Amino acid sequence: MERDGYAKSESVIGTDSKLLVEIVQGCLVNNREAQRKLYQHFYGYAMSVCVRYSKDAEEAREVLNDGFMKVFTKLKQYDQNKPFKGWLRRIMINTALDNYRHNLKHYHSADLETAPPVADTSDVVSDLNYEYLMELIQQLSPAYRTVFNLYVIDGYTHEEIAEMLNISSGTSKSNLSKARANLREVLKKNRVDELEQYI
C-alpha cells in the first residue's frame, strides 16, 4: 500500500471515510490523481442522478462532466463537517437544472398540454423496480421529467421547485399530475403489449 493511501481499491472508499478526506484534500490542491479517484468513485452515483434529468445517456454524461467541473472548482466551499455525497448530489441536480433551463428554448411547449387529465391519483411509483422506472421517466417530456424527479425522487416541495425552475407552484403541481398520467398511460400500454405476446 502506498503512503498517500490512493492505492486502495475504489470500493474501500466510504462516503465519509478518512481516505475520502485525503482525496478531497488532494483535490483542493489540484492533485490530478486525487481528482481522478474522486471522479471514479462517485461516477456511478452522480450518473444515477444526472440520468434522471436527461433525455439520454449522452446528455447525462455531459451534465455529469459539467457537474464534476463545478465540484472541482467549488470544492473550497464544501463544508467538510457535512456528508460529501449530499453536497455532490446537490451540485449534480443544480447542473442538470442549469442544462434544462439552457435547453428550455429548444423544448416544445406544446408537450406541456399533451397529457390527458388525471383521473386516478394513485402513486405510479409503487410496484416498479428502479431501472424500469428510470426508463419510463426518461420518456417523459423535459418539463414533466424535471418536476417528477425533483418532487418524487429528490423530495423537493412544489414551492421549492417553482423557485428553482422559475415557474408557479401551480404549474409544478400540474406538471407532476401530467407526468404521473403519462407514466400511467405508458404502464397500461406496456402491460397490454406484454400480455399480447402470450396470446
Side-chain angles (χ1 to χ4, degrees):
M1 180 169 58
E2 294 179 12
R3 256 180 66 191
D4 61 7
Y6 295 134
K8 285 188 180 181
S9 160
E10 301 302 325
S11 61
V12 176
I13 303 172
T15 54
D16 292 296
S17 69
K18 182 180 175 189
L19 182 54
L20 177 60
V21 171
E22 290 175 15
I23 290 173
V24 168
Q25 292 300 321
C27 291
L28 284 167
V29 294
N30 294 322
N31 178 302
R32 294 280 183 220
E33 181 64 10
Q35 289 174 340
R36 185 186 67 77
K37 291 280 188 186
L38 191 75
Y39 181 89
Q40 284 182 338
H41 179 68
F42 285 104
Y43 178 89
Y45 175 72
M47 188 60 146
S48 74
V49 173
C50 296
V51 78
R52 286 183 290 142
Y53 291 91
S54 305
K55 69 177 186 283
D56 54 32
E58 184 180 337
E59 182 178 79
R61 275 190 294 276
E62 289 174 20
V63 170
L64 176 129
N65 288 328
D66 289 348
F68 269 106
M69 286 302 297
K70 289 179 184 176
V71 166
F72 295 133
T73 57
K74 296 182 177 198
L75 200 53
K76 288 183 173 71
Q77 298 172 17
Y78 165 59
D79 179 355
Q80 294 191 28
N81 295 317
K82 295 184 178 172
F84 181 80
K85 197 171 184 180
W87 183 76
L88 176 97
R89 176 177 163 268
R90 181 168 277 286
I91 286 185
M92 292 300 162
I93 290 172
N94 287 337
T95 304
L97 293 178
D98 288 345
N99 181 66
Y100 167 78
R101 282 188 287 268
H102 174 75
N103 290 318
L104 193 56
K105 60 182 175 272
H106 302 297
Y107 299 142
H108 300 291
S109 57
D111 65 9
L112 296 176
E113 302 302 324
T114 56
V118 181
D120 179 12
T121 57
S122 62
D123 193 353
V124 296
V125 217
S126 57
D127 302 327
L128 295 178
N129 71 45
Y130 182 79
E131 292 79 17
Y132 183 57
L133 179 60
M134 290 304 107
E135 286 176 26
L136 295 181
I137 291 171
Q138 284 191 303
Q139 295 174 29
L140 293 171
S141 72
Y144 297 167
R145 179 176 60 234
T146 302
V147 170
F148 185 88
N149 278 312
L150 287 170
Y151 186 85
V152 176
I153 310 284
D154 292 314
Y156 289 97
T157 66
H158 285 296
E159 290 71 25
E160 291 170 324
I161 294 168
E163 189 175 330
M164 294 163 106
L165 300 180
N166 198 25
I167 58 176
S168 70
S169 58
T171 300
S172 177
K173 290 175 185 175
S174 172
N175 283 358
L176 178 63
S177 292
K178 291 173 181 176
R180 285 180 164 156
N182 283 355
L183 288 172
R184 269 192 291 282
E185 286 303 310
V186 172
L187 279 173
K188 284 179 191 171
K189 181 187 180 309
N190 286 353
R191 286 185 182 144
V192 168
D193 291 347
E194 286 171 15
L195 287 172
E196 282 178 355
Q197 65 183 318
Y198 298 107
I199 297 173

